[in-house]
């Protein structure tokens, strides 16, 4: 009875530290003694000596870990279910798609501020094959538009760069219907579908804000993808993609300059001084490592039940899945990229469409402007307009004939580069501090002026500059190399939106005349050198 009472009191005390900081064995023994005295009275239940008490705690550590492992691991063990739980078992490629975001354990360089910056990696993985279907590296934090861009890469993989070795493998987890033989034309009418209608079928995500946002859920709804959220604080529900992050860190990131380690206790003295890879360069390195190394290396988690000792790589598992379940049919719509943009319902006024205080106008709105003052219900007068949060200078609209049109922002002719939504919000707050009645044109002018004077002075400005720096880089790329997707960050470039009609000549942005192949003029090179010299001087000061 005394021993049992002491063990029960010890288990009760240990259970109270499931969500608390890790205590010492001495403190737990003292609390057990105080608990027994409070319940049974002083001297009623004898306590073991110090050596025996420590030995008891070591035995109880096996049942309820508290002292040896990290507190995070202790919480995960404490939250385990009592019995065995079932699990999702993929049976074919495209059935389940895992998606997650992690902060990379390596610093990168901002191309404008020339300072180190935190980088986050968003990855999509096919559960059956363990193949990576989408990758995107973002500065500071990830937004819902970045998750949608990664999901789009599953439907439209990026072309393989010519610089990759011949053995690089990046399987396409979907084949358009146009390249398949029509079974009905060859064998006559058949019943049932030839294969899965969409790829992927189910998206497994955690409870992050970007994955449960209206943006991403509406995209999945339009494409017929079901969302299966993982359990709260249960990383093993997405075990394969969590293991991929660890493999990436151990095989690639730790050999790169700017590596900071998995936690603060593993960080070097000054890893920031070695960070020199830009964000788009870091993404290109990770993408090539996946194609050359990860997709071609045998994976212990890829097992065929009929041949349990056969080592399969993600590429071999993909071929095995195609032989087992057939090809995956994906939508062949050339305008598929528009389905991955944010959608807002708005009415059409005589001046065009107004979204968040911005007015857009263009072709395709004829016949809809006169409905504002009619007796038609509001629900029927509202139309969907697609917005790219990384480039709000234009929106996209589909008319009744299923033809897409581009509507331009009224202040877009004054800009020669994309403008993100959050950058405009920051510009409005910046203008409101100096002027009583600021407008968008004044706000954009002040924002551009501030960027020219000095970038990255505050955390908000630094985040805007890091994101827009990649967009400015995309604009500066010559026309003949503008299809290099590794340097195009905005969702309109990543998703390869179809070309739209050019605006009238009066509203068109200035066009650079074609010259010789030697590059920029001497005057432009001198201005660029002066800019970076000033930026480096500001950093040194």
């Amino acid at each position: 009875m005394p021993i049992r009472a002491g063990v029960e009191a010890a288990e009760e005390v240990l259970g109270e530290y499931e969500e608390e900081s890790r205590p010492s064995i001495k403190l737990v023994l003292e609390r057990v003694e105080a608990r027994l005295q409070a319940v049974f009275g002083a001297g009623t239940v004898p306590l073991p000596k110090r050596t025996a008490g420590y030995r008891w705690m070591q035995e109880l550590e096996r049942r309820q870990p508290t002292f040896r492992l990290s507190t995070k691991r202790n919480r995960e063990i404490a939250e385990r279910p009592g019995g065995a739980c079932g699990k999702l078992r993929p049976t074919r490629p495209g059935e389940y798609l895992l998606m997650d975001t992690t902060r990379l354990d390596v610093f990168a360089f901002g191309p404008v501020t020339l300072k180190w910056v935190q980088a986050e990696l968003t990855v999509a993985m096919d559960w059956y094959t363990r193949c990576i279907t989408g990758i995107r590296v973002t500065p500071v934090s990830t937004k819902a538009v970045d998750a949608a861009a990664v999901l789009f890469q599953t439907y439209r993989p990026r072309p393989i760069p010519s610089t990759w070795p011949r053995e690089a493998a990046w399987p396409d987890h979907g084949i358009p219907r146009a390249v398949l033989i029509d079974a009905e034309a060859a064998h006559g009418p058949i019943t049932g579908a030839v294969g899965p209608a969409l790829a992927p079928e189910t998206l497994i995500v955690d409870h992050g804000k970007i994955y449960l946002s209206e943006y991403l859920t509406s995209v999945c709804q339009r494409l017929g993808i079901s969302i299966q959220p993982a359990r709260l604080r249960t990383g093993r529900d997405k075990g394969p993609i969590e293991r991929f992050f660890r493999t990436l860190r151990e095989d690639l990131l730790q050999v790169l300059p700017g590596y900071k380690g998995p936690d603060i206790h593993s960080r070097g003295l000054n890893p920031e001084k070695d960070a020199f890879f830009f964000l788009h360069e870091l993404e290109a390195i990770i993408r090539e490592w996946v194609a050359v190394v990860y997709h071609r290396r045998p994976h212990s988690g890829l097992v065929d039940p009929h041949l349990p000792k056969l080592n399969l790589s993600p590429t071999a598992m993909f071929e095995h899945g195609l032989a087992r379940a057939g090809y995956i049919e994906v939508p062949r719509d050339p305008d598929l990229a528009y389905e991955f943009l944010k959608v807002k319902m708005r009415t059409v006024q005589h001046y065009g469409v107004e979204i968040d205080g911005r007015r857009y106008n263009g072709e395709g709105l004829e016949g809809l402007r006169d409905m504002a003052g009619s007796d038609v219900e509001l629900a029927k007068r509202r139309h969907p307009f697609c917005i790219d949060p990384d480039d709000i200078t234009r929106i996209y609209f589909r008319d009744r004939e299923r033809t897409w049109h581009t509507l331009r922002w009224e202040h877009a002719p004054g800009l020669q580069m994309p403008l993100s939504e959050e950058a405009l919000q920051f510009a409005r707050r910046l203008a409101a501090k100096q002027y009583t009645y600021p407008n968008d044109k004044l706000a954009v002018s002040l924002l551009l002026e501030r960027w020219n004077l000095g970038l990255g002075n505050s955390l908000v400005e630094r985040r805007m500059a890091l994101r827009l720096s990649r967009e400015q880089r995309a604009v500066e790329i010559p026309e003949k190399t503008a299809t290099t997707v590794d340097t195009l960050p905005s969702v309109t470039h990543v998703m390869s939106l179809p070309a739209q009609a050019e605006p009238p000549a009066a509203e068109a942005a200035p066009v650079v005349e074609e010259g010789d192949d030697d590059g920029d003029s001497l005057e432009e090179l001198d201005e660029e050198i002066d800019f970076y010299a000033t930026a480096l001087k500001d950093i040194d000061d």
Side-chain angles (χ1 to χ4, degrees):
M1 176 63 183
I3 297 179
R4 180 179 300 178
V7 172
E8 292 178 354
E11 292 179 346
E12 181 181 353
V13 172
L14 292 177
E16 297 175 355
Y17 282 97
E18 290 181 0
E19 299 183 356
E20 303 295 334
S21 301
R22 180 170 51 189
S24 63
I25 299 180
K26 178 182 177 182
L27 177 60
V28 173
L29 290 176
E30 292 177 352
R31 293 199 59 183
V32 170
E33 181 180 2
R35 187 71 55 86
L36 292 176
Q37 292 180 0
V39 175
F40 299 100
T44 305
V45 179
L47 293 175
K49 295 182 179 181
R50 181 174 181 274
T51 304
Y54 273 73
R55 186 170 61 252
W56 281 17
M57 290 295 103
Q58 293 177 358
E59 293 294 332
L60 294 176
E61 174 75 11
R62 301 178 181 177
R63 306 181 192 176
Q64 190 167 359
T66 306
F67 310 106
R68 186 166 47 89
L69 303 176
S70 63
T71 55
K72 179 180 178 182
R73 182 58 177 165
N74 293 338
R75 288 193 298 269
E76 293 177 353
I77 296 176
E79 293 174 356
R80 287 177 179 174
C85 293
K87 59 181 298 185
L88 297 176
R89 298 183 182 276
T91 58
R92 59 187 179 276
E95 185 177 6
Y96 297 109
L97 185 73
L98 303 174
M99 187 179 293
D100 198 6
T101 302
T102 185
R103 175 158 290 183
L104 293 178
D105 298 327
V106 62
F107 287 111
F109 250 20
V112 173
T113 60
L114 300 180
K115 295 182 180 180
W116 60 266
V117 62
Q118 299 275 6
E120 288 193 353
L121 173 67
T122 303
V123 171
M125 171 189 287
D126 179 67
W127 195 339
Y128 182 83
T129 63
R130 302 297 201 276
C131 285
I132 303 300
T133 61
I135 287 178
R136 185 162 173 80
V137 176
T138 54
V140 184
S141 62
T142 306
K143 302 192 300 183
V145 62
D146 302 316
V150 173
L151 182 60
F152 177 78
Q153 296 178 26
T154 304
Y155 290 87
R156 298 289 189 269
R158 294 184 179 184
I160 297 179
S162 59
T163 56
W164 285 7
R166 297 184 59 184
E167 62 272 12
W170 197 287
D172 294 349
H173 281 61
I175 297 180
R177 181 71 178 177
V179 301
L180 297 179
I181 299 178
D182 192 352
E184 294 187 2
H187 306 288
I190 58 175
T191 59
V194 178
L198 292 174
E201 303 173 17
T202 304
L203 182 64
I204 300 178
V205 296
D206 54 18
H207 291 260
K209 183 183 299 184
I210 62 174
Y211 296 112
L212 299 182
S213 62
E214 182 182 0
Y215 184 174
L216 191 61
T217 53
S218 62
V219 170
C220 294
Q221 183 181 6
R222 291 194 298 270
L223 297 175
I225 303 175
S226 61
I227 299 179
Q228 177 66 46
R231 290 173 291 179
L232 287 172
R233 295 187 299 180
T234 308
R236 57 184 176 273
D237 285 356
K238 305 188 293 1
I241 198 169
E242 298 290 350
R243 187 61 177 86
F244 167 78
F245 290 148
R246 176 182 171 185
T247 303
L248 175 66
R249 175 175 59 86
E250 294 178 350
D251 289 8
L252 177 65
L253 297 183
Q254 65 179 358
V255 301
L256 297 179
Y259 176 70
K260 59 180 180 178
D263 50 55
I264 191 172
H265 301 288
S266 306
R267 181 171 298 186
L269 181 61
N270 189 13
E272 298 89 346
K273 64 180 178 62
D274 297 328
F276 67 87
F277 281 121
F278 293 101
L279 291 167
H280 68 278
E281 294 176 336
L282 184 60
E283 179 177 333
I285 291 174
I286 296 176
R287 190 178 295 273
E288 184 173 356
W289 173 83
V290 170
V292 177
V293 179
Y294 180 77
H295 281 170
R296 300 177 61 251
R297 184 170 54 190
H299 197 298
S300 60
L302 298 176
V303 178
D304 184 358
H306 301 285
L307 298 172
K309 294 185 179 181
L310 179 64
N311 294 327
L312 296 175
S313 64
T315 303
M317 197 66 180
F318 172 74
E319 298 176 356
H320 176 274
L322 292 185
R324 178 180 181 180
Y327 289 98
I328 303 173
E329 179 184 346
V330 297
R332 63 170 182 259
D333 185 6
D335 299 328
L336 181 64
Y338 293 109
E339 302 294 341
F340 289 82
L341 298 179
K342 181 188 294 185
V343 176
K344 288 191 176 183
M345 304 295 295
R346 291 294 186 271
T347 58
V348 181
Q349 306 297 327
H350 64 279
Y351 53 79
V353 181
E354 184 172 350
I355 299 178
D356 297 336
R358 306 183 302 270
R359 293 185 176 182
Y360 298 85
N361 201 353
E363 299 180 358
L365 299 180
E366 289 72 11
L368 301 177
R369 304 178 190 270
D370 301 333
M371 298 177 61
S374 61
D375 297 334
V376 182
E377 298 179 0
L378 178 62
K380 296 181 180 180
R381 290 190 282 113
R382 294 162 63 92
H383 302 277
F385 294 90
C386 297
I387 306 169
D388 179 10
D390 280 344
D391 185 10
I392 59 174
T393 60
R394 62 192 68 194
I395 62 175
Y396 308 95
F397 168 68
R398 181 164 52 186
D399 58 16
R400 296 184 179 91
E401 285 74 22
R402 313 293 294 177
T403 302
W404 286 94
H405 301 274
T406 300
L407 308 180
R408 291 175 60 84
W409 185 30
E410 59 181 353
H411 299 301
L415 296 174
Q416 301 182 13
M417 62 181 182
L419 181 67
S420 65
E421 185 175 9
E422 59 181 359
L424 179 59
Q425 295 175 0
F426 173 71
R428 288 174 176 174
R429 294 194 300 266
L430 184 66
K433 296 180 180 179
Q434 302 182 21
Y435 299 91
T436 307
Y437 303 103
N439 52 29
D440 287 343
K441 184 177 182 179
L442 178 61
V444 173
S445 301
L446 291 176
L447 182 62
L448 296 177
E449 180 183 358
R450 191 176 184 89
W451 284 344
N452 291 332
L453 292 177
L455 298 173
N457 293 332
S458 65
L459 293 179
V460 177
E461 290 174 307
R462 180 182 176 186
R463 181 179 179 183
M464 300 303 103
L466 288 170
R467 195 167 195 91
L468 288 179
S469 62
R470 303 179 68 191
E471 298 168 352
Q472 293 168 359
R473 181 181 178 87
V475 173
E476 295 171 357
I477 295 178
E479 189 72 20
K480 59 183 179 180
T481 60
T483 56
T484 306
V485 294
D486 290 339
T487 60
L488 300 181
S490 65
V491 74
T492 54
H493 296 294
V494 173
M495 297 181 183
S496 301
L497 293 179
Q500 299 292 332
E502 292 295 331
E507 297 180 359
V511 179
V512 180
E513 297 182 357
E514 296 184 358
D516 53 14
D517 295 335
D518 294 336
D520 300 331
S521 61
L522 295 178
E523 292 78 3
E524 293 174 346
L525 291 177
D526 291 338
E527 293 179 357
E528 185 176 358
I529 294 174
D530 293 338
F531 169 78
Y532 282 103
T534 306
L536 293 173
K537 181 179 180 181
D538 295 339
I539 294 175
D540 295 335
D541 294 340

